[in-house]
Amino acid sequence: MADENNNIVDCESPLKRPGEEGQRMEEDGIKLNNNNNDNKSVAGISSIISGWFSEISPMWPGEAHSLKVEKVLFQGKSDYQDVMVFQSSTYGKVLILDGVIQLTERDECAYQEMITHLPLCSIPNPKKVLVIGGGDGGVLREVARHSSVEQIDICEIDKMVVDVSKEFFPDVAVGYDDPRVRLHIGDGVAFLKNAPEGTYDAVIVDSSDPIGPAQELFEKPFFASVAKALRPGGVVCTQAESIWLHMHIIEDIVSNCRQIFKGSVNYAWTTVPTYPSGVIGFMLCSTEGPSVDFKHPINPIDTDGNQESRPLKFYNSEIHSAAFCLPSFARKVIQPKAN
């Protein structure tokens, strides 16, 4: 079906509750153990045991972050991944994809606001923005704060993520309500390949970790497609892992971006308590053309008086500039490859 703005919707299966999937819940309704030896995905490693969700993955070996579960609200399996939502004791509702925390109601602002406003506040008057991934709608919500934006395209591969987010995270998925948004359900890699050259002022890649369906979003051909879709002096911001856990991945991302993007190449980071190691990074790059100084915002949204009804919770111009200050061990690796 399609809404009145011709947003593309491809939904053949309704949302399913845990009981409809046949999972046996114990008497307290939350004690689950997802140990299926036939399931080789990350979802077969993370589990809920005795009322606690523990996020265990080979992406962060030897450690796990746990949240106390009050109630499992949804469990399902899409064509691409396992999807779960639960009510936690301290972070509100939590969205899990393939056993990995994607967002919580309490700290999602730190990620959504930074991945959006770091790029959009670094260029004057962005008009056309593309979001790859980001099916929860949080990045859309933040892009919509920019009054200069005329068109917001989003390409999300998993329709279930969109549906689940609209049902359980309405304050995040509110971004879909903006009439400038056009939703495309499909492969972001293919979508970018088909995008006309120089279409977008900004591309925001809100991807999960580089395993499973998101792996291609960290590779050089994808970055080349992003650069082609951007106008001269256009910008991209992509999720770029943790400096505490993934310096080898970050090093490769920086090298790939430096080869593809002929303008600025920068790495920034922020704190998100429920992400592995409590931090997450962003790769910010610009194409050849008008110069972009990511470290000094020129489009300061935090002074916009139109945000009174839904004020920013995390981002401001000071934290924008501070996000590019790297600890010495990370700077030693990143700077030589970025310059």
Side-chain angles (χ1 to χ4, degrees):
M1 64 180 180
D3 66 12
E4 59 183 0
N5 298 310
N6 293 319
N7 293 337
I8 298 173
V9 176
D10 180 15
C11 51
E12 297 182 356
S13 59
L15 297 182
K16 295 181 179 180
R17 297 287 183 242
E20 296 171 346
E21 290 293 310
Q23 284 102 344
R24 182 174 62 84
M25 307 292 284
E26 297 202 11
E27 289 184 359
D28 60 4
I30 56 176
K31 187 176 180 182
L32 301 174
N33 193 345
N34 195 15
N35 291 327
N36 183 349
N37 293 329
D38 295 330
N39 186 351
K40 294 181 173 61
S41 70
V42 175
I45 301 174
S46 296
S47 60
I48 299 178
I49 302 175
S50 300
W52 287 81
F53 170 82
S54 294
E55 187 183 54
I56 304 169
S57 169
M59 285 289 292
W60 42 91
E63 61 183 89
H65 183 229
S66 297
L67 290 175
K68 188 174 182 181
V69 179
E70 296 293 337
K71 183 179 182 181
V72 174
L73 302 174
F74 173 85
Q75 276 190 304
K77 188 174 182 62
S78 73
D79 292 336
Y80 302 97
Q81 56 201 340
D82 292 309
V83 181
M84 179 168 68
V85 178
F86 67 82
Q87 180 71 43
S88 71
S89 297
T90 53
Y91 280 84
K93 290 194 288 288
V94 182
L95 175 64
I96 308 289
L97 300 181
D98 273 350
V100 178
I101 294 173
Q102 302 300 305
L103 67 84
T104 78
E105 289 181 308
R106 180 177 174 183
D107 64 6
E108 56 87 13
C109 60
Y111 177 80
Q112 316 276 20
E113 293 182 15
M114 292 294 277
I115 197 173
T116 304
H117 302 311
L118 286 176
L120 294 187
C121 290
S122 297
I123 57 175
N125 301 314
K127 296 185 182 301
K128 293 185 178 181
V129 179
L130 170 62
V131 180
I132 299 293
D136 55 70
V139 171
L140 299 177
R141 179 192 68 198
E142 296 306 315
V143 174
R145 294 181 187 272
H146 292 262
S147 59
S148 66
V149 172
E150 300 171 352
Q151 176 180 324
I152 310 171
D153 288 335
I154 176 171
C155 187
E156 164 61 48
I157 197 169
D158 196 338
K159 182 64 167 56
M160 182 178 284
V161 174
V162 177
D163 288 339
V164 167
S165 298
K166 286 181 176 181
E167 178 169 356
F168 294 102
F169 301 92
D171 288 342
V172 179
V174 66
Y176 285 106
D177 296 339
D178 193 284
R180 294 170 290 179
V181 171
R182 302 191 302 185
L183 171 61
H184 308 266
I185 298 296
D187 180 10
V189 175
F191 184 88
L192 266 172
K193 285 181 179 178
N194 295 323
E197 185 172 351
T199 298
Y200 296 103
D201 299 288
V203 174
I204 299 171
V205 185
D206 180 11
S207 67
S208 51
D209 295 312
I211 50 179
Q215 184 170 351
E216 284 187 282
L217 305 184
F218 290 80
E219 298 172 351
K220 192 184 298 184
F222 175 75
F223 290 128
S225 296
V226 171
K228 179 179 75 70
L230 287 170
R231 65 161 174 79
V235 296
V236 60
C237 182
T238 181
Q239 186 272 112
E241 301 301 320
S242 165
I243 56 175
W244 292 108
L245 300 172
H246 307 123
M247 282 306 302
H248 58 295
I249 297 175
I250 295 169
E251 190 173 2
D252 289 342
I253 295 173
V254 175
S255 295
N256 289 339
C257 288
R258 183 69 281 175
Q259 293 176 51
I260 298 297
F261 294 96
K262 305 307 180 184
S264 301
V265 174
N266 290 268
Y267 186 88
W269 59 307
T270 191
T271 63
V272 183
T274 54
Y275 284 178
S277 79
V279 304
I280 193 72
F282 309 104
M283 201 72 219
L284 290 113
C285 309
S286 65
T287 56
E288 188 175 14
S291 62
V292 178
D293 182 0
F294 286 109
K295 298 178 182 179
H296 298 94
I298 61 173
N299 185 22
I301 192 171
D302 52 331
T303 62
D304 188 342
N306 295 328
Q307 307 306 324
E308 294 179 2
S309 61
R310 194 180 294 272
L312 290 161
K313 296 180 180 179
F314 191 89
Y315 176 88
N316 56 54
S317 58
E318 289 82 10
I319 208 166
H320 179 125
S321 297
F324 294 91
C325 297
L326 301 177
S328 297
F329 74 88
R331 184 173 58 189
K332 182 179 180 180
V333 173
I334 292 172
Q335 276 194 348
K337 294 186 177 297
N339 296 327

mmCIF file of all heavy atoms in Angstrom, residues 230-255:
data_model
loop_
_atom_site.group_PDB
_atom_site.id
_atom_site.type_symbol
_atom_site.label_atom_id
_atom_site.label_comp_id
_atom_site.label_asym_id
_atom_site.label_seq_id
_atom_site.Cartn_x
_atom_site.Cartn_y
_atom_site.Cartn_z
ATOM 1 N N LEU A 230 26.226 12.343 -4.306
ATOM 2 C CA LEU A 230 26.322 13.645 -3.648
ATOM 3 C C LEU A 230 26.692 14.742 -4.635
ATOM 4 O O LEU A 230 27.457 14.524 -5.580
ATOM 5 C CB LEU A 230 27.374 13.597 -2.533
ATOM 6 C CG LEU A 230 27.006 12.836 -1.263
ATOM 7 C CD1 LEU A 230 28.230 12.669 -0.370
ATOM 8 C CD2 LEU A 230 25.883 13.541 -0.499
ATOM 9 N N ARG A 231 26.191 15.922 -4.380
ATOM 10 C CA ARG A 231 26.587 17.100 -5.150
ATOM 11 C C ARG A 231 27.999 17.491 -4.771
ATOM 12 O O ARG A 231 28.534 17.048 -3.748
ATOM 13 C CB ARG A 231 25.627 18.254 -4.868
ATOM 14 C CG ARG A 231 25.678 18.735 -3.416
ATOM 15 C CD ARG A 231 25.104 20.125 -3.266
ATOM 16 N NE ARG A 231 24.997 20.561 -1.877
ATOM 17 C CZ ARG A 231 25.996 21.024 -1.136
ATOM 18 N NH1 ARG A 231 27.226 21.105 -1.622
ATOM 19 N NH2 ARG A 231 25.785 21.413 0.126
ATOM 20 N N PRO A 232 28.679 18.351 -5.540
ATOM 21 C CA PRO A 232 29.983 18.880 -5.123
ATOM 22 C C PRO A 232 29.874 19.573 -3.764
ATOM 23 O O PRO A 232 28.988 20.401 -3.552
ATOM 24 C CB PRO A 232 30.334 19.876 -6.234
ATOM 25 C CG PRO A 232 29.607 19.356 -7.436
ATOM 26 C CD PRO A 232 28.310 18.803 -6.898
ATOM 27 N N GLY A 233 30.743 19.200 -2.837
ATOM 28 C CA GLY A 233 30.670 19.734 -1.490
ATOM 29 C C GLY A 233 29.597 19.100 -0.650
ATOM 30 O O GLY A 233 29.302 19.570 0.457
ATOM 31 N N GLY A 234 28.997 17.999 -1.139
ATOM 32 C CA GLY A 234 28.012 17.263 -0.352
ATOM 33 C C GLY A 234 28.681 16.450 0.730
ATOM 34 O O GLY A 234 29.894 16.202 0.695
ATOM 35 N N VAL A 235 27.906 15.999 1.710
ATOM 36 C CA VAL A 235 28.482 15.346 2.881
ATOM 37 C C VAL A 235 27.808 14.007 3.156
ATOM 38 O O VAL A 235 26.637 13.791 2.827
ATOM 39 C CB VAL A 235 28.366 16.240 4.143
ATOM 40 C CG1 VAL A 235 29.188 17.509 3.973
ATOM 41 C CG2 VAL A 235 26.910 16.582 4.446
ATOM 42 N N VAL A 236 28.575 13.122 3.759
ATOM 43 C CA VAL A 236 28.058 11.835 4.220
ATOM 44 C C VAL A 236 28.460 11.646 5.671
ATOM 45 O O VAL A 236 29.545 12.070 6.089
ATOM 46 C CB VAL A 236 28.582 10.664 3.364
ATOM 47 C CG1 VAL A 236 30.103 10.578 3.396
ATOM 48 C CG2 VAL A 236 27.971 9.335 3.820
ATOM 49 N N CYS A 237 27.569 11.029 6.434
ATOM 50 C CA CYS A 237 27.888 10.621 7.799
ATOM 51 C C CYS A 237 27.430 9.183 7.953
ATOM 52 O O CYS A 237 26.276 8.855 7.677
ATOM 53 C CB CYS A 237 27.192 11.510 8.824
ATOM 54 S SG CYS A 237 27.599 11.106 10.554
ATOM 55 N N THR A 238 28.358 8.325 8.376
ATOM 56 C CA THR A 238 28.029 6.916 8.536
ATOM 57 C C THR A 238 28.447 6.423 9.913
ATOM 58 O O THR A 238 29.445 6.889 10.472
ATOM 59 C CB THR A 238 28.713 6.058 7.442
ATOM 60 O OG1 THR A 238 28.358 4.688 7.617
ATOM 61 C CG2 THR A 238 30.225 6.195 7.502
ATOM 62 N N GLN A 239 27.675 5.529 10.460
ATOM 63 C CA GLN A 239 28.020 4.886 11.727
ATOM 64 C C GLN A 239 29.372 4.201 11.565
ATOM 65 O O GLN A 239 29.605 3.496 10.602
ATOM 66 C CB GLN A 239 26.926 3.874 12.082
ATOM 67 C CG GLN A 239 27.071 3.226 13.457
ATOM 68 C CD GLN A 239 27.922 1.969 13.443
ATOM 69 O OE1 GLN A 239 29.016 1.952 14.007
ATOM 70 N NE2 GLN A 239 27.441 0.913 12.807
ATOM 71 N N ALA A 240 30.279 4.407 12.507
ATOM 72 C CA ALA A 240 31.660 3.941 12.337
ATOM 73 C C ALA A 240 32.239 3.324 13.607
ATOM 74 O O ALA A 240 33.395 3.572 13.955
ATOM 75 C CB ALA A 240 32.546 5.068 11.817
ATOM 76 N N GLU A 241 31.449 2.548 14.318
ATOM 77 C CA GLU A 241 31.937 1.641 15.357
ATOM 78 C C GLU A 241 32.604 2.354 16.546
ATOM 79 O O GLU A 241 32.548 3.562 16.677
ATOM 80 C CB GLU A 241 32.863 0.592 14.739
ATOM 81 C CG GLU A 241 32.184 -0.251 13.656
ATOM 82 C CD GLU A 241 30.972 -0.995 14.152
ATOM 83 O OE1 GLU A 241 31.009 -1.517 15.276
ATOM 84 O OE2 GLU A 241 29.968 -1.057 13.426
ATOM 85 N N SER A 242 33.239 1.573 17.407
ATOM 86 C CA SER A 242 33.779 2.067 18.684
ATOM 87 C C SER A 242 35.304 2.091 18.673
ATOM 88 O O SER A 242 35.946 1.102 18.304
ATOM 89 C CB SER A 242 33.309 1.164 19.838
ATOM 90 O OG SER A 242 34.063 1.398 21.012
ATOM 91 N N ILE A 243 35.865 3.212 19.117
ATOM 92 C CA ILE A 243 37.329 3.313 19.186
ATOM 93 C C ILE A 243 37.922 2.359 20.220
ATOM 94 O O ILE A 243 39.109 2.033 20.144
ATOM 95 C CB ILE A 243 37.776 4.758 19.502
ATOM 96 C CG1 ILE A 243 37.129 5.258 20.803
ATOM 97 C CG2 ILE A 243 37.466 5.679 18.334
ATOM 98 C CD1 ILE A 243 37.602 6.630 21.242
ATOM 99 N N TRP A 244 37.120 1.884 21.170
ATOM 100 C CA TRP A 244 37.619 0.962 22.185
ATOM 101 C C TRP A 244 37.642 -0.479 21.700
ATOM 102 O O TRP A 244 38.374 -1.304 22.248
ATOM 103 C CB TRP A 244 36.775 1.057 23.458
ATOM 104 C CG TRP A 244 36.923 2.347 24.190
ATOM 105 C CD1 TRP A 244 36.011 3.360 24.274
ATOM 106 C CD2 TRP A 244 38.070 2.787 24.930
ATOM 107 N NE1 TRP A 244 36.515 4.392 25.029
ATOM 108 C CE2 TRP A 244 37.777 4.076 25.443
ATOM 109 C CE3 TRP A 244 39.317 2.221 25.208
ATOM 110 C CZ2 TRP A 244 38.674 4.797 26.219
ATOM 111 C CZ3 TRP A 244 40.218 2.951 25.980
ATOM 112 C CH2 TRP A 244 39.888 4.213 26.476
ATOM 113 N N LEU A 245 36.837 -0.778 20.706
ATOM 114 C CA LEU A 245 36.666 -2.174 20.295
ATOM 115 C C LEU A 245 37.063 -2.464 18.856
ATOM 116 O O LEU A 245 37.428 -3.598 18.541
ATOM 117 C CB LEU A 245 35.196 -2.596 20.475
ATOM 118 C CG LEU A 245 34.613 -2.508 21.877
ATOM 119 C CD1 LEU A 245 33.107 -2.770 21.830
ATOM 120 C CD2 LEU A 245 35.298 -3.516 22.804
ATOM 121 N N HIS A 246 36.984 -1.467 17.995
ATOM 122 C CA HIS A 246 37.032 -1.757 16.562
ATOM 123 C C HIS A 246 38.021 -0.877 15.809
ATOM 124 O O HIS A 246 37.759 -0.492 14.665
ATOM 125 C CB HIS A 246 35.634 -1.562 15.960
ATOM 126 C CG HIS A 246 34.560 -2.314 16.655
ATOM 127 N ND1 HIS A 246 33.439 -1.704 17.203
ATOM 128 C CD2 HIS A 246 34.437 -3.640 16.919
ATOM 129 C CE1 HIS A 246 32.672 -2.621 17.761
ATOM 130 N NE2 HIS A 246 33.247 -3.793 17.607
ATOM 131 N N MET A 247 39.181 -0.593 16.375
ATOM 132 C CA MET A 247 40.130 0.271 15.679
ATOM 133 C C MET A 247 40.553 -0.317 14.339
ATOM 134 O O MET A 247 40.814 0.422 13.380
ATOM 135 C CB MET A 247 41.354 0.546 16.556
ATOM 136 C CG MET A 247 41.133 1.593 17.637
ATOM 137 S SD MET A 247 40.501 3.188 17.039
ATOM 138 C CE MET A 247 41.749 3.662 15.861
ATOM 139 N N HIS A 248 40.600 -1.638 14.238
ATOM 140 C CA HIS A 248 40.982 -2.257 12.965
ATOM 141 C C HIS A 248 39.930 -1.994 11.898
ATOM 142 O O HIS A 248 40.255 -1.742 10.729
ATOM 143 C CB HIS A 248 41.191 -3.758 13.152
ATOM 144 C CG HIS A 248 40.000 -4.505 13.676
ATOM 145 N ND1 HIS A 248 39.486 -4.290 14.941
ATOM 146 C CD2 HIS A 248 39.202 -5.440 13.091
ATOM 147 C CE1 HIS A 248 38.428 -5.080 15.123
ATOM 148 N NE2 HIS A 248 38.239 -5.776 14.016
ATOM 149 N N ILE A 249 38.649 -2.023 12.281
ATOM 150 C CA ILE A 249 37.571 -1.715 11.342
ATOM 151 C C ILE A 249 37.594 -0.235 10.983
ATOM 152 O O ILE A 249 37.464 0.149 9.817
ATOM 153 C CB ILE A 249 36.203 -2.103 11.930
ATOM 154 C CG1 ILE A 249 36.132 -3.615 12.169
ATOM 155 C CG2 ILE A 249 35.065 -1.646 11.021
ATOM 156 C CD1 ILE A 249 34.852 -4.064 12.860
ATOM 157 N N ILE A 250 37.762 0.610 11.989
ATOM 158 C CA ILE A 250 37.798 2.058 11.766
ATOM 159 C C ILE A 250 38.950 2.428 10.838
ATOM 160 O O ILE A 250 38.796 3.261 9.926
ATOM 161 C CB ILE A 250 37.915 2.804 13.112
ATOM 162 C CG1 ILE A 250 36.644 2.582 13.953
ATOM 163 C CG2 ILE A 250 38.162 4.294 12.888
ATOM 164 C CD1 ILE A 250 36.762 3.052 15.382
ATOM 165 N N GLU A 251 40.092 1.801 11.033
ATOM 166 C CA GLU A 251 41.259 2.075 10.188
ATOM 167 C C GLU A 251 40.945 1.785 8.717
ATOM 168 O O GLU A 251 41.295 2.561 7.825
ATOM 169 C CB GLU A 251 42.435 1.223 10.666
ATOM 170 C CG GLU A 251 43.765 1.583 10.040
ATOM 171 C CD GLU A 251 44.919 0.834 10.669
ATOM 172 O OE1 GLU A 251 44.675 0.007 11.575
ATOM 173 O OE2 GLU A 251 46.063 1.069 10.242
ATOM 174 N N ASP A 252 40.255 0.673 8.473
ATOM 175 C CA ASP A 252 39.877 0.327 7.103
ATOM 176 C C ASP A 252 38.856 1.316 6.540
ATOM 177 O O ASP A 252 38.929 1.708 5.367
ATOM 178 C CB ASP A 252 39.301 -1.090 7.053
ATOM 179 C CG ASP A 252 40.353 -2.157 7.274
ATOM 180 O OD1 ASP A 252 41.549 -1.845 7.129
ATOM 181 O OD2 ASP A 252 39.978 -3.299 7.597
ATOM 182 N N ILE A 253 37.881 1.714 7.380
ATOM 183 C CA ILE A 253 36.867 2.665 6.919
ATOM 184 C C ILE A 253 37.510 3.993 6.538
ATOM 185 O O ILE A 253 37.210 4.571 5.493
ATOM 186 C CB ILE A 253 35.792 2.879 8.006
ATOM 187 C CG1 ILE A 253 35.003 1.592 8.260
ATOM 188 C CG2 ILE A 253 34.839 4.001 7.593
ATOM 189 C CD1 ILE A 253 34.047 1.682 9.434
ATOM 190 N N VAL A 254 38.418 4.481 7.379
ATOM 191 C CA VAL A 254 39.087 5.753 7.101
ATOM 192 C C VAL A 254 39.891 5.656 5.805
ATOM 193 O O VAL A 254 39.844 6.566 4.952
ATOM 194 C CB VAL A 254 39.998 6.161 8.271
ATOM 195 C CG1 VAL A 254 40.788 7.423 7.920
ATOM 196 C CG2 VAL A 254 39.178 6.399 9.536
ATOM 197 N N SER A 255 40.601 4.553 5.622
ATOM 198 C CA SER A 255 41.395 4.378 4.401
ATOM 199 C C SER A 255 40.514 4.358 3.166
ATOM 200 O O SER A 255 40.829 4.995 2.148
ATOM 201 C CB SER A 255 42.207 3.070 4.485
ATOM 202 O OG SER A 255 43.152 3.131 5.519
#
